[in-house]
Amino acid sequence: MKKKVAILFGGQSTEHEVSRVSASSVLRNIDSSKYDVYPIGITKDGKWFEYTGSIENIENGDWEKDEFYKNPNGQEILFNREVDVVFPVLHGLYGEDGTVQGLCKLLGLPCVGPGVMSSAVCMDKVYTKYVLENFEIKQAEYVVVNAFEYSKEKEKLIEKIEKELNYDVFIKPSNSGSSVGISKAHNRKELEQGLENALKYDRKILVEKAINAREVEVAVLGNDEPMAAIPGEIIPANEFYDYEAKYSNAESKLLIPANLSEEKLEFIKNEAIKIYKILDCAGLSRVDFLIDKDTKEVYLNEINTIPGFTKISMYPKMWQASGKGYSELISELIEFAIERNNI
Ligand SMILES: Nc1ncnc2c1ncn2[C@@H]1O[C@H](COP(=O)(O)OP(=O)(O)O)[C@@H](O)[C@H]1O
Ligand SMILES: [Mg+2]
């Protein structure tokens, strides 16, 4: 019998649009001989609908206006356990951060990707640092800025950042994705602007020393015996890999394999698997590194537990280059979710 899979798309985060594109790609390529799909759209204000209209409408956002194919029973499908497994093709907060994972856990439904704790820690850049620094994983030096402290002692915090990190620095909302709210500061004025902008997205901000780096990403897949695909490299079109460079600038390049020695590729794959296990990831994650162009030192940048998932996104492309096609990858992720749920 075919398994019933809920495909969640949209969501309440700043990455709503990106999610729709990822989910459309999943819907077009999922193996329909094995799975019956239940596409469920989540609006930016958090309403859930089953959507049985066209995939194009999901991709371009018109599904929300399509009253005929939009049914207000999105959550009931989960609550009534009408499906066997949930694939949250959602990026960012309220999707990749442990919340949807928690809902599935309460309902006893297998969910693709890491569980509650792992998703939450990986979503939060500050907590990722706190955990990994206990395991000798190299990460960029940093200072944490909290909204309340910033409002009370701005000068002191700015001085601390300048003293400990010096310029340039990256300013990131702790819970961010797709580079939203992230900026690079080359001086005090940009640092202040960057902090104030980042504080619109989160009350906890990570300020990091900028590394003159190459960006290398590793796709990891599996539960107890995770495997890593051939690492890939990003060559951003802008000064750093910002939102525009990620989604609109065709000049950004993806290189698979990353232009590194066999030895270095192997090292980075092992490092990615080690991090995946420490953070108790399951199903999938993309582990992103920064490699210092001068010292060649490898730094962890971040872990994405539901990475961009269109057919031409880095995660599926790295598996493609390693011999695993897109549809096969989707099937494996669903089966890993079911396997993990049994324990
Ligand atoms: N410490 C750093 N040094 C150099 N570049 C960085 C650093 N941190 C982030 N970047 C750049 O900013 C981009 C976005 O930061 P990242 O932490 O990956 O956030 P997001 O979760 O939004 O993808 C990275 O892809 C990279 O181009
Ligand atoms: Mg990133």
Side-chain angles (χ1 to χ4, degrees):
M1 225 177 61
K2 287 199 208 177
K3 288 177 186 134
K4 301 188 178 89
V5 187
I7 307 281
L8 309 187
F9 66 87
Q12 291 171 261
S13 81
T14 50
E15 292 170 278
H16 177 100
E17 287 78 15
V18 184
S19 153
R20 288 200 324 253
V21 182
S22 290
S24 310
S25 207
V26 170
L27 288 164
R28 286 195 183 99
N29 293 283
I30 190 167
D31 185 343
S32 56
S33 71
K34 290 191 187 141
Y35 307 109
D36 275 332
V37 294
Y38 290 64
I40 298 174
I42 304 170
T43 61
K44 280 189 183 163
D45 56 1
K47 298 196 175 71
W48 294 45
F49 297 93
E50 182 185 13
Y51 182 67
T52 53
S54 74
I55 298 174
E56 289 76 68
N57 282 352
I58 292 176
E59 189 159 23
N60 64 27
D62 283 348
W63 74 277
E64 282 195 44
K65 294 180 262 168
D66 189 358
E67 299 301 334
F68 190 75
Y69 290 110
K70 196 177 102 184
N71 314 303
N73 62 334
Q75 285 184 333
E76 271 108 273
I77 290 179
L78 266 61
F79 277 86
N80 298 338
R81 284 121 175 127
E82 288 170 42
V83 290
D84 303 304
V85 52
V86 178
F87 189 168
V89 191
L90 303 169
H91 308 302
L93 292 175
Y94 312 109
E96 190 176 351
D97 63 347
T99 49
V100 168
Q101 291 72 12
L103 178 66
C104 292
K105 190 168 186 177
L106 282 172
L107 297 170
L109 286 170
C111 180
V112 169
V116 176
M117 183 281 298
S118 180
S119 300
V121 172
C122 292
M123 185 75 235
D124 190 307
K125 294 184 198 296
V126 169
Y127 269 83
T128 304
K129 295 261 191 206
Y130 290 164
V131 173
L132 292 180
E133 58 199 14
N134 296 297
F135 294 87
E136 292 172 7
I137 304 290
K138 267 209 170 60
Q139 305 175 83
E141 287 173 60
Y142 67 98
V143 169
V144 178
V145 174
N146 155 298
F148 181 70
E149 287 168 14
Y150 186 76
S151 71
K152 297 276 171 225
E153 19 185 57
K154 179 174 158 181
E155 280 302 311
K156 207 173 129 197
L157 278 167
I158 301 249
E159 274 163 28
K160 178 178 152 92
I161 293 166
E162 289 180 335
K163 184 160 161 273
E164 291 184 19
L165 307 178
N166 211 343
Y167 293 104
D168 305 337
V169 291
F170 272 86
I171 303 145
K172 314 180 183 181
S174 189
N175 289 281
S176 67
S178 287
S179 301
V180 177
I182 297 187
S183 61
K184 185 176 180 179
H186 308 79
N187 51 51
R188 183 176 283 207
K189 184 161 169 264
E190 288 175 4
L191 173 60
E192 285 179 25
Q193 282 169 350
L195 284 169
E196 269 142 46
N197 182 47
L199 284 165
K200 292 183 197 149
Y201 298 93
D202 203 340
R203 57 182 171 76
K204 204 166 63 205
I205 309 301
L206 180 68
V207 184
E208 243 180 38
K209 192 173 182 63
I211 296 168
N212 176 21
R214 289 170 58 186
E215 299 193 46
V216 174
E217 306 189 339
V218 186
V220 184
L221 172 72
N223 290 337
D224 295 317
E225 293 178 297
M227 298 167 299
I230 298 168
E233 182 166 357
I234 306 280
I235 303 175
N238 298 342
E239 184 181 355
F240 71 95
Y241 206 32
D242 59 12
Y243 193 90
E244 202 261 348
K246 280 179 182 169
Y247 303 113
S248 334
N249 197 324
E251 301 289 301
S252 292
K253 293 198 168 54
L254 310 180
L255 265 185
I256 305 172
N259 188 15
L260 296 166
S261 66
E262 273 304 317
E263 220 182 338
K264 200 79 171 180
L265 288 175
E266 215 38 49
F267 172 80
I268 289 171
K269 279 166 74 170
N270 287 331
E271 208 54 11
I273 292 174
K274 183 173 157 192
I275 292 165
Y276 189 92
K277 287 183 174 166
I278 293 169
L279 293 169
D280 203 22
C281 293
L284 81 162
S285 285
R286 199 190 71 219
V287 186
D288 296 351
F289 296 94
L290 297 168
I291 304 183
D292 192 312
K293 285 182 185 164
D294 310 314
T295 65
K296 316 286 181 229
E297 207 66 72
V298 177
Y299 295 85
L300 171 77
N301 180 30
E302 60 155 346
I303 301 106
N304 293 285
T305 53
I306 309 180
F309 211 82
T310 69
K311 208 174 177 177
I312 57 158
S313 298
M314 206 49 171
Y315 186 92
K317 277 182 75 164
M318 290 190 279
W319 278 114
Q320 186 77 52
S322 312
K324 202 184 290 297
Y326 188 69
S327 300
E328 185 187 351
L329 181 61
I330 295 169
S331 302
E332 285 193 23
L333 287 172
I334 293 169
E335 299 308 322
F336 277 128
I338 294 167
E339 175 193 282
R340 172 51 59 102
N341 203 55
N342 290 335
I343 312 161

